[in-house]
Amino acid sequence: MSSLEAINGLKTSATHAYLDKQYAIACQLYGEQLQAMISYETPGTSVVSDDFGLMKAQLFSNMALGNLKLDDFESCRRLCNAALIFIAHPG
């Protein structure tokens, strides 16, 4: 399985967990997806793009929503701020 397939697999698993109202697990999986993306972007790779940055913004937004559902408002606020940074500066 390629790194991109693994990243997409984490997203699918996280989305299923969220839809099953397993918000803590969903947030953990979204975080793992984010870490996998960061690892994939190491110097020498050619995948770094605005699309990847916008995907990170979406991940931060998803984690924020999960934290909101868990009543963790401070984490939700911090994750929303991170999402806004990636929206403003995706690359």
Side-chain angles (χ1 to χ4, degrees), residues 6-36:
I7 289 168
N8 287 327
L10 285 167
K11 181 179 186 213
T12 300
S13 297
T15 300
H16 287 299
Y18 183 86
L19 293 173
D20 289 340
K21 298 183 181 183
Q22 297 175 345
Y23 304 119
I25 293 170
C27 288
Q28 177 185 344
L29 291 169
Y30 285 130
E32 289 176 20
Q33 182 186 4
L34 185 62
Q35 288 294 349

Side-chain angles (χ1 to χ4, degrees), residues 29-78:
L29 291 169
Y30 285 130
E32 289 176 20
Q33 182 186 4
L34 185 62
Q35 288 294 349
M37 289 173 68
I38 290 168
S39 295
Y40 195 74
E41 289 182 312
T42 55
T45 63
S46 61
V47 174
V48 180
S49 69
D50 286 352
D51 289 340
F52 233 46
L54 292 175
M55 187 185 291
K56 287 180 192 172
Q58 182 181 24
L59 287 173
F60 279 114
S61 297
N62 291 348
M63 288 188 289
L65 187 55
N67 277 277
L68 181 64
K69 296 285 190 176
L70 294 168
D71 294 332
D72 186 349
F73 304 115
E74 180 57 27
S75 292
C76 179
R77 182 191 64 78
R78 287 193 320 261

